[in-house]
Amino acid sequence: MAITSIKNLKEFSTNNDRFEGAHTLCPGCAHSMIVRELMNCTDDNLVIAANTGCLEVSTAVYPFTSWDTSWIHIGFENAATAVTGSEAMYRARKKKGTLKDPNAPVKFVAFGGDGSTYDIGFQWLSGAMERGHDFTYICLDNENYANTGGQRSSSTPIGATTSTAQAGSASYGKKEKKKDIVAIMAAHGAPYVAQLAPNKWKSMAKGFQTALETEGPCFINTVSACCTEWRFDPKDTIHITDLATDTLMFPIYEIINGHELNILYRPKNVVPVEEYLNAQGRYKHLFKPENKHVIEKIQSDINEYWDKLQRREEARI
Amino acid sequence: MSKGILAVDNRGKRELGADKLVGWDEVTQGIVLTSFEGDAANIASLKAEERTYSDFNSYTATVASWRVIKPIYNRDICIDCQNCWVWCPDSSIISRDKQMLGIDYDHCKGCQVCVEVCPTNPKSLLMFVEAEEIETALAQWPEKKKN
């Protein structure tokens, strides 16, 4: 029995957690907020694979598992491959009639961090999307390789300092722009692609449910604020995510069938990006006078991208 | 550790949960950890207290030692909005039948997210040092703030 709609938080809270505590993610990590929400928004059986990353190593510390569903610990790149393989086997066994309970609803989900989604597992993910399996891929985007000490990934935004793109007298941190993974996945012609954030729990739960219900490959990029590598106090995870969505650093939107773009959240007051940058230690150096142009560049990129999204929403292309 | 053959290596069978644990470097084919004892088909419909967790489930472990400060919950002020439930990263807010019941101190890491997202005035969750008794904490709860 699938939960079809969640009216309010009180109703949502009656669902039983299937992601257990005592995992070893950092206090205040947004990863577990996102994973909990996915597993709470459905009653269906879940088959989950996770790429190597914070989530994988922290939820399966031998001899413990934090998962109350089928879950596989797999390599850095191939959660998409593992879960689509399971899905293919499920379909084959259903056809042959060898399943114990063929009517039980099963959903296939892969989790990956941004390192394994934007970089290392990109080829595997692209292949799985192209093959058209019925699965949902969720990227927990914390903009760096947090598990191994905060190296830059192709998701790291311009201007952020990381352990391999450090800010100093000669550099202002990472110089390249963030890869637009949502547009790339939409270009695969996927039936449902979205970018969501845990502070907007309702649109997130709705997005997850849509992705699970949609037949075919779905991709969701979620903003996962990382208190360790973004350098803010763990208690501010939701506040930072609020700033990320209100400054439009992370616009929340969905793309259906590769062309129907819907913006899911329009901030009443768009906050200047300085506030978001100022709240995090990784952007501290941008407030030196010589780096002022980087902040201006970030703001103009955001404006340009927001404009593009709105035009795409209107034109349906 | 629980019973059952869960890991097999090429040098002969060895039970996980026998006298000696299989080390992570001795396993050649991987390990299957079962989250529950017995049938786990309807887990989504069972509350935590109705489930038969196996020893491999991290629910049976604790991270309480990570904390130096802990949240304390004041039932008198709470409006059951469930903000703390939805944003708790450690599944440590116990909510049953749309009511917030309290905090699971075995799994809480003291991150303070629940206090930050609490909308009441004064807050119904506040951080105290780990050694604080709940009664004394409730006795010194702040008054309602006037803007």
Side-chain angles (χ1 to χ4, degrees):
Chain A
M1 148 191 80
I3 303 168
T4 47
S5 77
I6 296 165
K7 287 193 199 77
N8 54 45
L9 211 43
K10 280 196 182 193
E11 191 190 314
F12 195 21
S13 75
T14 56
N15 295 337
N16 303 314
D17 264 311
R18 284 190 284 172
F19 184 67
E20 301 296 350
H23 50 70
T24 59
L25 289 163
C26 301
C29 179
H31 272 32
S32 40
M33 298 177 190
I34 298 163
V35 173
R36 273 189 67 216
E37 190 149 341
L38 173 92
M39 295 174 85
N40 276 324
C41 78
T42 177
D43 274 355
D44 296 348
N45 296 332
L46 293 166
V47 176
I48 299 180
N51 279 328
T52 300
C54 288
L55 181 74
E56 187 186 54
V57 300
S58 303
T59 56
V61 184
Y62 180 73
F64 292 116
T65 171
S66 299
W67 302 84
D68 294 351
T69 60
S70 307
W71 180 81
I72 186 167
H73 185 294
I74 198 80
F76 212 136
E77 64 288 332
N78 50 4
T81 319
V83 91
T84 51
S86 324
E87 192 261 350
M89 186 180 83
Y90 173 77
R91 266 189 296 138
R93 287 190 58 180
K94 200 169 187 177
K95 212 165 143 191
K96 283 184 190 161
T98 56
L99 283 178
K100 216 194 228 173
D101 186 1
N103 296 321
V106 184
K107 298 282 186 276
F108 295 86
V109 180
F111 281 108
D114 60 285
S116 60
T117 306
Y118 285 66
D119 302 340
I120 298 175
F122 186 69
Q123 173 195 333
W124 282 258
L125 172 60
S126 181
M129 300 297 276
E130 187 270 330
R131 290 192 301 274
H133 293 273
D134 182 11
F135 80 114
T136 302
Y137 189 100
I138 296 170
C139 170
L140 305 162
D141 186 358
N142 58 13
E143 304 191 322
N144 65 75
Y145 288 83
N147 180 36
T148 48
Q151 290 84 358
R152 96 192 254 294
S153 77
S154 57
S155 159
T156 310
I158 185 168
T161 181
T162 66
S163 57
T164 49
Q166 278 190 354
S169 55
S171 167
Y172 57 79
K174 196 192 166 195
K175 294 197 170 61
E176 299 79 16
K177 273 210 276 189
K178 180 176 171 140
K179 197 193 264 181
D180 188 354
I181 195 87
V182 183
I184 298 169
M185 288 302 138
H188 283 73
Y192 187 79
V193 175
Q195 176 157 283
L196 305 167
N199 60 330
K200 305 290 167 212
W201 67 268
K202 205 166 186 175
S203 63
M204 186 149 152
K206 203 164 165 239
F208 283 160
Q209 288 179 332
T210 316
L212 292 174
E213 290 307 315
T214 306
E215 232 175 273
C218 301
F219 177 85
I220 292 176
N221 193 40
T222 56
V223 185
S224 181
C226 173
C227 47
T228 309
E229 298 300 341
W230 294 15
R231 297 176 210 165
F232 61 84
D233 198 317
K235 71 177 167 48
D236 293 329
T237 307
I238 292 299
H239 174 63
I240 296 282
T241 319
D242 276 338
L243 283 176
T245 52
D246 287 353
T247 55
L248 299 172
M249 193 81 179
F250 283 97
I252 301 180
Y253 60 99
E254 61 183 13
I255 305 175
I256 298 161
N257 294 328
H259 65 275
E260 285 172 47
L261 192 146
N262 301 315
I263 294 172
L264 300 175
Y265 173 66
R266 284 169 209 278
K268 278 198 193 96
N269 302 307
V270 179
V271 179
V273 77
E274 278 94 340
E275 270 190 51
Y276 173 71
L277 305 179
N278 204 10
Q280 301 168 50
R282 63 173 175 158
Y283 290 118
K284 214 169 86 191
H285 57 283
L286 294 186
F287 291 89
K288 287 181 189 162
E290 67 267 28
N291 289 332
K292 213 178 149 215
H293 67 282
V294 186
I295 299 185
E296 281 162 15
K297 165 102 174 96
I298 295 173
Q299 185 67 63
S300 74
D301 282 352
I302 289 174
N303 296 348
E304 202 179 298
Y305 193 71
W306 182 240
D307 195 40
K308 186 176 142 190
L309 284 182
Q310 286 178 312
R311 274 187 286 147
R312 270 195 77 177
E313 184 185 35
E314 216 168 286
R316 311 307 259 181
I317 47 165
Chain B
M1 285 300 118
S2 177
K3 53 205 174 284
I5 299 173
L6 293 166
V8 175
D9 72 7
N10 288 339
R11 288 160 286 176
K13 286 183 183 175
R14 197 186 252 158
E15 275 193 19
L16 194 68
D19 292 343
K20 188 181 170 296
L21 273 178
V22 181
W24 65 269
D25 55 344
E26 293 174 90
V27 177
T28 51
Q29 295 178 346
I31 284 184
V32 178
L33 297 180
T34 49
S35 299
F36 300 98
E37 303 283 356
D39 187 23
N42 295 317
I43 281 308
S45 61
L46 296 179
K47 294 181 171 57
E49 55 271 22
E50 298 162 350
R51 296 174 178 172
T52 49
Y53 288 108
S54 85
D55 294 346
F56 297 121
N57 198 308
S58 72
Y59 186 82
T60 60
T62 174
V63 285
S65 61
W66 290 34
R67 275 196 315 262
V68 286
I69 48 171
K70 65 177 177 187
I72 286 179
Y73 170 59
N74 192 332
R75 176 71 237 174
D76 298 339
I77 308 163
C78 181
I79 54 166
D80 291 316
C81 68
Q82 306 294 352
N83 274 1
C84 52
W85 175 84
V86 76
W87 284 312
C88 175
D90 295 299
S91 322
S92 297
I93 302 292
I94 306 167
S95 281
R96 297 284 180 272
D97 302 324
K98 305 185 182 180
Q99 275 212 347
M100 153 84 171
L101 298 185
I103 295 149
D104 175 353
Y105 286 114
D106 283 342
H107 301 134
C108 172
K109 291 172 187 153
C111 67
Q112 210 178 326
V113 165
C114 53
V115 176
E116 290 299 309
V117 298
C118 182
T120 60
N121 180 13
K123 286 184 184 293
S124 359
L125 285 152
L126 284 174
M127 299 307 281
F128 290 88
V129 290
E130 183 63 26
E132 186 73 73
E133 298 282 340
I134 291 180
E135 287 74 21
T136 47
L138 290 176
Q140 50 176 287
W141 213 265
E143 292 291 310
K144 184 173 181 173
K145 253 186 249 161
K146 288 180 196 127
N147 297 321

